[in-house]
Amino acid sequence: DAGITQSPRHKVTETGTPVTLRCHQTENHRYMYWYRQDPGHGLRLIHYSYGVKDTDKGEVSDGYSVSRSKTEDFLLTLESATSSQTSVYFCAISKSVNEQFFGPGTRLTVL
Amino acid sequence: KNEVEQSPQNLTAQEGEFITINCSYSVGISALHWLQQHPGGGIVSLFMLSSGKKKHGRLIATINIQEKHSSLHITASHPRDSAVYICAASPNTGNQFYFGTGTSLTVIP
């Protein structure tokens, strides 16, 4: 299994509060991704990174920001959480564009 | 517009049945992936295909590049096969995957 962890695994927060999710890898892979998974939508890309300090937006990036200051860590921040951001968040890593390994997921509930 | 479409969305089968899940895509791809997600669980890769057919135990994945279509077959299905199966395409330009919405499979003993 690829060495990829996410923290926290579960979080309940209130509308308007900031939230940061962390993805950590031990594989030294170049690419890292943040997805959200919602019923009826499948996995949707929020942001991705193709190197330290190199990030780009995905299809559902509004309300989210990311940072990658080290190869091993990719942070996803919700500056002011809303109920529509209640979801399961998955991080993924890859060393090439042809494969992705997924983390265990973070279940976020915004009340 | 979905670049990857899966069918059926939901599937219930009796233990032992042969199961087929279909995936169609509209983009040029470098590879097609089948992923499995158990309830409440993480996502694992089953197959990565760029042509032909691959087999792993009771699971078989095929792809027809000309028709832009892939199938995942499960022979002699078992209740532990109950999961969501996701088709994903890695396009031949760009570095983002396109995902289908998944097929939820339930195998009844």
Side-chain angles (χ1 to χ4, degrees), chain A:
Chain A
D1 289 343
I4 175 170
T5 57
Q6 292 182 230
S7 58
R9 296 291 315 279
H10 301 272
K11 187 170 182 66
V12 180
T13 191
E14 294 190 350
T15 297
T17 60
V19 176
T20 296
L21 308 183
R22 180 183 184 230
C23 177
H24 178 77
Q25 61 148 327
T26 58
E27 304 296 321
N28 201 36
H29 284 355
R30 177 183 176 188
Y31 300 95
M32 298 185 77
Y33 307 81
W34 275 109
Y35 295 96
R36 60 179 289 173
Q37 186 181 42
D38 304 288
H41 288 280
L43 287 157
R44 292 182 291 175
L45 182 65
I46 305 171
H47 283 278
Y48 67 98
S49 169
Y50 46 95
V52 173
K53 298 193 191 311
D54 291 323
T55 65
D56 206 350
K57 295 179 179 179
E59 63 175 304
V60 291
S61 59
D62 286 350
Y64 302 94
S65 62
V66 290
S67 66
R68 190 170 179 199
S69 58
K70 300 185 288 185
T71 299
E72 57 266 34
D73 288 325
F74 193 31
L75 304 180
L76 177 71
T77 298
L78 292 65
E79 300 290 347
S80 178
T82 68
S83 58
S84 65
Q85 293 175 311
T86 292
S87 187
V88 180
Y89 292 85
F90 284 96
C91 176
I93 63 174
S94 68
K95 57 184 177 185
S96 74
V97 297
N98 264 349
E99 60 179 358
Q100 291 193 11
F101 301 100
F102 290 85
T106 294
R107 185 172 296 275
L108 175 67
T109 301
V110 184
L111 301 175

Side-chain angles (χ1 to χ4, degrees), chain B residues 10 14-15 23-24 26 29 31-32 35 40 43 53 57 69 77 80 87 92 94 103 108:
Chain B
N10 297 284
Q14 292 287 334
E15 183 174 356
C23 175
S24 296
S26 59
I29 65 167
L32 191 287
L35 312 172
I43 300 168
K53 174 179 170 178
H69 182 269
S77 59
R80 64 175 175 268
C87 175
N92 49 23
T103 295
I108 300 169

